[in-house]
Each structure stands twice: as C-alpha cells, then as structure tokens.
Amino acid sequence: MKCANLANNRIAVIGASGFVGAYLTQYLRSHSADVLEMVRDSGGKASDENVVEIGDIRSNKLYKGVFDQIDTVVYTVARTHRSGEDHSDFDAIYKEINCDAMIRMAQAAYSQGVKRFIFLSSIKVIAEVTARHESFSNESVSKPQGPYGRSKLIAENELLKLADSTDLEVVIIRPPLIYGPGVKGNLLSIIKAARFHIPLPLKWVFKNRRSLVSLENLFSLIKECALNPAAVNQIFFVKDQLDLSTVDIVRKLTKSEGLDVLLFPCPVKLLRV
C-alpha cells in the first residue's frame, strides 16, 4: 500500500453503526483517518458525505461506486451467537450473513480499487474452550462447535481464496469476547443486574480463565493492520494481556460502570445445570 499513515488512508467501516463499528469510526478519526461510514440505515444522515446507506447486506446489490477512492475496508458486520441457535439447522442463516454477504462486499471493493480488506472473524472458528493451561494459536486445529463459528471459518477460507485469485490484500482478526462502552449480550446482562442490585451466584467461579479484548486494544491492532505491509494475508489472534475469571470479569465490568455488585456462592456444578 502507498499509505504511510492513517492521514493518507481513506477507510470504509462496514457496520459503522454497530457496537464495534461505531467506536472504531471514532478511534480512526481521532488518529487522523478519513473514514467513510457504511451503515444499513443512515437514520437521516444520508446527506452526510461521510455516511453511505448500503441497506440490507443480504441483498444481491452490486454496490457500484460505493468503494470509489477507498484504500482500506474494515468489515465489522456479523450475526453473532444467539441463544437457542446452536443446531446445524441455523448454519445457512449464519453463513448468509457472516460469509456470503461479506464475500460480495469484498469482491465489490476489490473491483473498485480497494487495496486491503480487514475482516473481523472470531476465536470461535477454533473452538469454544481450550484445555487447562493451553491457548489457541495458528497451529490449533479448527473445530468450531456452532453455526456462528462454522460460518466465520467458511468466511475466512472464502476470503483467503479471493486473495489467492486476486491481488486484494486480506487481513483476518480473530478476537475473543470484546468489551467496552455500549457492550451487549451477557456482559450487558451483568451490568443490568448490578444496576438493579440483583445478587449473582458467581462468587465461587474464580478458578476459570477467559480471554477478552478491550475495544482500545482491538482498535490498536486494526490500525496496525491497515498500515503494516507485513499484515497482508495474515491471521491474527488478539486479547488483553491478562485472562480473567468470571468473578474478575464481573467486578471489572461493574467497576467501569461505577456500580457495586453482590456475589454469593453457588456450587459450580449447579450453575452448569
């Protein structure tokens, strides 16, 4: 790439209204990047020259002209894991959004001159858990255990095929659970419980360890991947330096929100049930 710094890099963030995309846009602009926000619905911001309404990514739109003058694309859109959707019956639904739609975007971007395409995948392409005292790495055998992880692995492979058949520069990032302002899912549920002073039966869940990554650390890697020639066609794992137990995570989250949380003991076997 010719871009030596973000000030010379026109970056499109696909999914700029989502949890990761919204804060990534702010981060990149704070580092002098010229950012184009690509969103499903502009919410009345269609007149903003830095916002592009792309509609439903499941459509077969060709996105003609959308990526003109763009150097780098960061793809943050995903159908994340949802309770009750662990069965293979949901594979097609997850693949449609997490793979097929992304590949159409990547092909359109390449045809319009985009040089680098950064894809936010997931650590779940490897598995859900590691053995005690082990970590995932590029040598780990991929055995995704649900439609979400399987769809992300298919997406990675299809994107690498596109890179092999073109000169599109591809970067894949596999983050674990991401946290920060505006977090959703189970982490949000913990915060809500603390706000309503609901005790949580997690006091004895302090021996397990889970990797997380903060938005700031994730964005620091994305910035490097947008600029560094060595990142081309690479797959990166990213996490915070310290892995945390469930108790550590709860206390870290609630403290960041200025909340106190009451934990009480409950046998771990009973929690699993």
Side-chain angles (χ1 to χ4, degrees), residues 3 6 8-12 34-36 49-50 68-73:
C3 304
L6 288 184
N8 298 320
N9 200 331
R10 176 75 162 154
I11 300 177
D34 182 7
V35 181
L36 182 67
E49 62 181 12
N50 292 314
D68 285 349
Q69 308 302 315
I70 297 294
D71 300 296
T72 302
V73 170

Side-chain angles (χ1 to χ4, degrees), residues 1 3-6 9 11 24 27-28 71-75 114-121 168-175 217-238:
M1 293 178 69
C3 304
N5 56 65
L6 288 184
N9 200 331
I11 300 177
L24 175 60
Y27 175 90
L28 293 173
D71 300 296
T72 302
V73 170
V74 184
Y75 192 92
V114 169
K115 296 299 182 183
R116 189 166 297 190
F117 192 95
I118 300 173
F119 174 55
L120 286 193
S121 184
L168 178 66
E169 299 174 352
V170 166
V171 185
I172 294 170
I173 299 175
R174 293 172 171 173
N217 286 338
L218 175 61
F219 295 165
S220 179
L221 175 61
I222 291 174
K223 175 187 173 185
E224 185 68 19
C225 289
L227 297 173
N228 197 325
V232 175
N233 297 344
Q234 298 297 315
I235 298 175
F236 294 100
F237 293 77
V238 59

Side-chain angles (χ1 to χ4, degrees), residues 57 75 77-82 85-103 119-128 142-160 172 174:
I57 61 170
Y75 192 92
V77 177
R79 182 185 179 93
T80 55
H81 173 262
R82 302 181 186 185
E85 295 186 355
D86 297 315
H87 196 273
S88 59
D89 289 346
F90 291 93
D91 278 3
I93 297 174
Y94 280 83
K95 180 178 178 291
E96 180 184 19
I97 297 174
N98 294 341
C99 176
D100 301 343
M102 181 274 293
I103 290 297
F119 174 55
L120 286 193
S121 184
S122 169
I123 194 63
K124 288 180 180 288
V125 302
I126 303 295
E128 295 293 326
S142 293
K143 295 181 179 179
Q145 297 168 9
Y148 173 66
R150 288 192 290 267
S151 68
K152 285 288 193 176
L153 181 59
I154 295 171
E156 287 186 9
N157 292 334
E158 290 300 314
L159 191 58
L160 290 172
I172 294 170
R174 293 172 171 173

